[in-house]
Amino acid sequence: MGTVTIGVSIAVPEPHGSLLQERRAGFGDPAAHGIPTHVTLLPPTEVAACALPAVEAHLLSVAAAGRSFPMRLSGTGTFRPLSPVVFVQVVSGAAACSWLQEQVRDASGPMARELQFPYHPHVTVAHGISEEAMDRAYEELSEYEAEWSCTGFALYEQGSDGVWRKLRDFAFGGGPVVPPQAPSPAARGTLPAH
């Protein structure tokens, strides 16, 4: 059956997802329209195609142990010079994302793997483009804000065309992800006027 390349992520909901995807494209990132706007829980990982049922069963159990939590994005950051990436920062929900990615990559599960870099939840808005364009992304989104209630995550597969497509959503089942927190204010997403 061969192998497939999968990823697990939290989708950035509308209207925030499309807005950041369009901004990423506007900065000249050719991958912008092939990658839904997201916070990664499992980076691109090659698995045997016949392992997909085990992957889905594992993700169902991870989701069943989780509960919704507030996510908030605010401002920009970068991994330069280590990696040519500019991102929008996750300022609320990072602990829950870290817990989830550890569960997804659990050593006893079908997606056990080491990471190339320490886990740092973020939303990529520029990757591998000119330094000038990355500087522009960093500056223009420096006051970006968005928030929502995260209610689950999704499994994606990368096609031979390089485009990531959702295979399945996994909704949280009510178990603890992080200690209880105050309810999140209404979702919002704003860009500064330029």
Side-chain angles (χ1 to χ4, degrees):
M1 268 185 96
T3 62
V4 293
T5 300
I6 60 169
V8 178
S9 63
I10 295 170
V12 175
E14 296 305 328
H16 319 303
S18 291
L19 185 148
L20 289 175
Q21 189 173 46
E22 289 304 316
R23 294 306 304 268
R24 184 171 179 172
F27 298 132
D29 190 329
H33 291 294
I35 304 173
T37 307
H38 67 282
V39 176
T40 298
L41 297 177
L42 177 76
T45 301
E46 195 172 290
V47 299
C50 63
L52 283 176
V55 164
E56 290 191 18
H58 176 68
L59 293 176
L60 278 170
S61 75
V62 171
R67 68 164 175 84
S68 61
F69 59 91
M71 288 280 288
R72 186 164 74 88
L73 308 179
S74 181
T76 50
T78 184
F79 294 132
R80 296 182 292 174
L82 189 60
S83 181
V85 173
V86 171
F87 56 86
V88 173
Q89 298 185 74
V90 174
V91 295
S92 292
C97 291
S98 292
W99 182 87
L100 284 167
Q101 66 88 25
E102 287 175 2
Q103 304 312 302
V104 167
R105 294 185 306 103
D106 186 80
S108 66
M111 293 168 286
R113 65 164 286 182
E114 294 296 317
L115 297 178
Q116 183 178 1
F117 301 106
Y119 182 73
H120 180 86
H122 65 280
V123 177
T124 298
V125 291
H127 179 237
I129 57 177
S130 73
E131 289 295 320
E132 295 78 17
M134 289 205 287
D135 289 344
R136 193 163 60 90
Y138 187 89
E139 288 302 319
E140 291 183 14
L141 293 172
S142 65
E143 295 179 38
Y144 181 79
E145 299 274 337
E147 56 186 59
W148 69 94
S149 180
C150 178
T151 58
F153 54 84
L155 172 65
Y156 292 83
E157 180 180 344
Q158 186 178 35
S160 58
D161 57 0
V163 174
W164 287 89
R165 293 174 180 86
K166 188 189 305 182
L167 296 179
R168 180 172 178 178
D169 284 304
F170 296 87
F172 293 137
V177 172
V178 293
Q181 297 179 8
S184 174
R188 72 180 198 275
T190 57
L191 276 176
H194 285 283

